[in-house]
Amino acid sequence: MEFNVQDILTIWGNGGWVMYPLALLSIMLYALAIQTLLYLNKTNLSAQDMTKWPLWVLEPESGEGRVGEIIRYVTGGKKTQKQIRNRFEEVRMGMVGMIERRTVFISSLVACAPMVGLLGTVIGMLLTFSALSEGGGADTAEMVADGIRKALITTQTGLTIALPGVFFVMIIRRKRHAIEAHIARLESMTLSQLKAD
């Protein structure tokens, strides 16, 4: 089945005013999810060769990329183990905290999409019952069909917005866990090196 722009606009119009909040919700959801994924790809700590990390811990000035920046920040000056742990906690909160806040907001938007679609369903069903209460005739059948159409289109749209959002949230969480693991590994290497010195 092929859709052209006119078909899409007709379906959109059949959904009623609830389609506008759904459109706004989907724009917010996908824009924030894509922005977060781009940030995660830019922040990717595993992009650097992990076999070089021990050398960078020994010689912080040779460190490259984001990992090098972290090593220089946490080991800058003569630091105790407690100070290094505190600095790693700052790095962790700075990187992971922002990702977590965005993930919670994206998850909220994902949960809202079917609920807004359900609102359209309720409105459509109210239109259907209103048409049925007016009695028979061709106009009543058209009004019943219009109410059912609104009910189904908004529900479908809400679910269509939410399902890809669920996958975005899963990908973002997986990448966040990977960043947390890399920071923990880097912290362990740095503290081990400090003990050896």
Side-chain angles (χ1 to χ4, degrees):
M1 181 176 192
E2 260 184 60
F3 283 106
N4 59 33
V5 175
Q6 187 60 39
D7 292 337
I8 293 170
L9 291 176
T10 302
I11 292 170
W12 183 268
N14 287 335
W17 66 266
V18 175
M19 297 298 279
Y20 295 104
L22 282 170
L24 179 64
L25 194 134
S26 69
I27 290 168
M28 289 172 50
L29 169 66
Y30 295 129
L32 187 60
I34 290 169
Q35 183 184 31
T36 304
L37 285 173
L38 290 173
Y39 172 78
L40 286 167
N41 285 337
K42 186 180 82 171
T43 309
N44 188 3
L45 300 181
S46 63
Q48 264 91 41
D49 187 4
M50 288 186 192
T51 59
K52 295 180 181 177
W53 289 11
L55 175 66
W56 294 349
V57 169
L58 290 172
E59 299 170 16
E61 295 309 313
S62 67
E64 300 171 6
R66 190 78 164 165
V67 175
E69 290 173 18
I70 293 171
I71 292 170
R72 283 188 290 279
Y73 173 71
V74 298
T75 61
K78 201 67 175 159
K79 301 285 181 214
T80 65
Q81 281 192 351
K82 184 175 181 181
Q83 290 170 325
I84 288 176
R85 280 194 185 99
N86 289 340
R87 289 246 172 136
F88 267 109
E89 190 58 32
E90 288 174 29
V91 169
R92 190 176 291 109
M93 291 306 296
M95 291 174 72
V96 176
M98 186 275 298
I99 297 166
E100 184 57 31
R101 285 189 301 277
R102 285 186 178 195
T103 305
V104 168
F105 188 59
I106 293 168
S107 296
S108 299
L109 292 175
V110 167
C112 283
M115 299 305 285
V116 174
L118 185 60
L119 174 65
T121 301
V122 171
I123 291 169
M125 295 311 293
L126 288 174
L127 290 173
T128 301
F129 294 137
S130 174
L132 289 172
S133 70
E134 289 182 13
D139 290 340
T140 302
E142 182 62 34
M143 289 171 60
V144 168
D146 185 53
I148 292 172
R149 185 172 28 250
K150 276 184 175 45
L152 295 177
I153 288 172
T154 56
T155 303
Q156 179 185 12
T157 304
L159 291 172
T160 303
I161 291 168
L163 285 174
V166 169
F167 292 109
F168 273 122
V169 169
M170 288 172 30
I171 292 167
I172 290 168
R173 284 190 175 143
R174 192 186 84 230
K175 289 182 178 267
R176 186 198 75 205
H177 291 309
I179 287 174
E180 287 176 328
H182 288 106
I183 291 172
R185 181 174 181 204
L186 189 59
E187 181 178 8
S188 176
M189 280 184 199
T190 305
L191 292 171
S192 297
Q193 182 55 41
L194 186 66
K195 284 180 186 175
D197 287 346

